[in-house]
């Protein structure tokens, strides 16, 4: 398969808040870690507004950073990059795009998992502005910024960070309308739930039941679309973002264009 010409040896998951990656892709990340893929978590905010006011912003940020580290440890991820933005105030700014470009060039992922950038009016809870902003800034960092050596030239001139091309993007989030890729997480669902339960300041014990139900629904959709027979799954919009001029790249770009045309009807 053409996909095999672009193997995944390094992956990066970018989320707006501590616990976002856990909801969207921790079952998949746990699989990748088992397969020997080098995985990095990037958390844009410190989660300092995710409370009811019983802690100060500084106290809550410290709690949430610790919870994120505990959750990552459950699935074997050691590298966590906290960008430290304030919770609730994220915009798809050039500063954020630069920070994300920096970590992409530093870690050189073949795959980036990020939130959906498009507002969907079906469910307000899936449209947190921080999620949308992080999705937009991440996609802008992937293309064209991270691969363009003339973008943010100081990253190369002062920090020695050369351009990097990300080959694959998995877009996740509750606003996703047309998933085209499912990962079987039947073997890793329990660890995904255990990781989520590390976020005690945010989530009740019942979150495990809810996540299990959502993963079961995704597994049923995977089977319906003929992807695989999975009891539990995570679903994504999978995009090829590699170089068209590379071997197999043109075929994958043509496939992406056809998928977009089909989705548009």
């Amino acid at each position: 398969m053409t996909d095999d010409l672009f193997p995944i040896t390094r992956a990066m998951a970018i989320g707006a808040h501590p616990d976002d990656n856990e909801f969207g892709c921790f079952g998949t990340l746990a699989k990748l870690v088992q397969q020997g893929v080098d995985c990095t978590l990037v958390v844009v905010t410190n989660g300092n507004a995710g409370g009811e006011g019983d802690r100060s912003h500084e106290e809550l940020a410290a709690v949430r950073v610790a919870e994120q580290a505990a959750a990552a440890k459950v699935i074997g991820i050691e590298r966590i990059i906290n960008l430290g933005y304030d919770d609730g105030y994220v915009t798809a700014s050039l500063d954020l795009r630069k920070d994300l470009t920096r970590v992409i060039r530093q870690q050189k992922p073949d795959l980036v998992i990020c939130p959906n950038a498009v507002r969907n009016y079906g469910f307000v809870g899936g449209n947190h502005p921080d999620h949308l902003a992080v999705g937009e800034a991440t996609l802008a960092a992937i293309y064209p910024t991270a691969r363009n050596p003339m973008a943010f030239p100081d990253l190369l001139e002062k920090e020695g960070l050369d351009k990097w091309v990300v080959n694959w993007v998995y877009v996740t989030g509750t606003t996703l309308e047309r998933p085209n890729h499912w990962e079987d997480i039947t073997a890793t669902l329990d660890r995904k739930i255990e990781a989520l339960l590390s976020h005690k300041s945010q989530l009740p014990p019942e979150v495990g039941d809810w996540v299990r139900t959502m993963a079961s629904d995704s597994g049923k959709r995977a089977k319906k679309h003929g992807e695989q027979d999975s009891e539990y799954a995570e679903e994504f919009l999978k995009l090829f973002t590699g170089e068209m001029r590379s071997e197999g790249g043109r075929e994958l770009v043509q496939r992406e264009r056809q998928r977009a045309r089909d989705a548009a009807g």
Side-chain angles (χ1 to χ4, degrees), residues 37-222:
V37 175
D38 185 335
C39 295
T40 300
L41 289 184
V42 178
V43 184
V44 172
T45 78
N46 54 22
N48 62 350
E52 298 296 328
D54 54 334
R55 295 183 175 99
S56 70
H57 287 82
E58 293 75 17
E59 289 170 338
L60 185 55
V63 167
R64 299 204 67 187
V65 167
E67 289 174 343
Q68 180 68 88
K73 187 176 180 180
V74 171
I75 65 168
I77 292 181
E78 298 180 356
R79 188 183 306 110
I80 306 171
I81 299 173
N82 296 293
L83 297 183
Y85 283 69
D86 282 331
D87 188 349
Y89 295 90
V90 182
T91 62
S93 64
L94 287 175
D95 285 343
L96 178 56
R97 192 197 303 186
K98 182 176 183 180
D99 286 340
L100 293 172
T101 298
R102 176 183 289 109
V103 298
I104 288 170
R105 291 186 182 182
Q106 286 172 337
Q107 303 303 324
K108 298 179 170 57
D110 306 300
L111 163 68
V112 170
I113 305 175
C114 71
N116 182 26
V118 180
R119 184 172 293 277
N120 183 301
Y121 294 100
F123 173 51
V124 68
N127 288 280
H128 193 299
D130 287 355
H131 296 183
L132 301 177
V134 169
E136 173 60 31
T138 300
L139 293 169
I142 291 168
Y143 182 84
T145 313
R147 70 184 65 196
N148 182 358
M150 299 185 72
F152 301 124
D154 55 310
L155 291 179
L156 176 59
E157 296 167 1
K158 296 182 179 179
E159 301 182 37
L161 298 174
D162 207 348
K163 67 177 184 178
W164 181 254
V165 177
V166 176
N167 287 326
W168 300 105
V169 173
Y170 292 177
V171 181
T172 188
T174 54
T175 61
L176 190 60
E177 294 185 40
R178 295 185 176 91
N180 63 354
H181 180 73
W182 287 263
E183 289 285 346
D184 185 345
I185 63 165
T186 305
T188 57
L189 177 62
D190 287 344
R191 272 182 289 156
K192 173 187 174 86
I193 292 172
E194 182 183 350
L196 277 162
L197 290 172
S198 298
H199 296 275
K200 294 180 174 62
S201 71
Q202 305 296 304
L203 303 172
E206 299 79 28
V207 70
D209 295 334
W210 181 76
V211 167
R212 194 174 296 276
T213 298
M214 295 294 290
S216 175
D217 290 344
S218 292
K220 292 172 184 175
R221 283 191 289 273

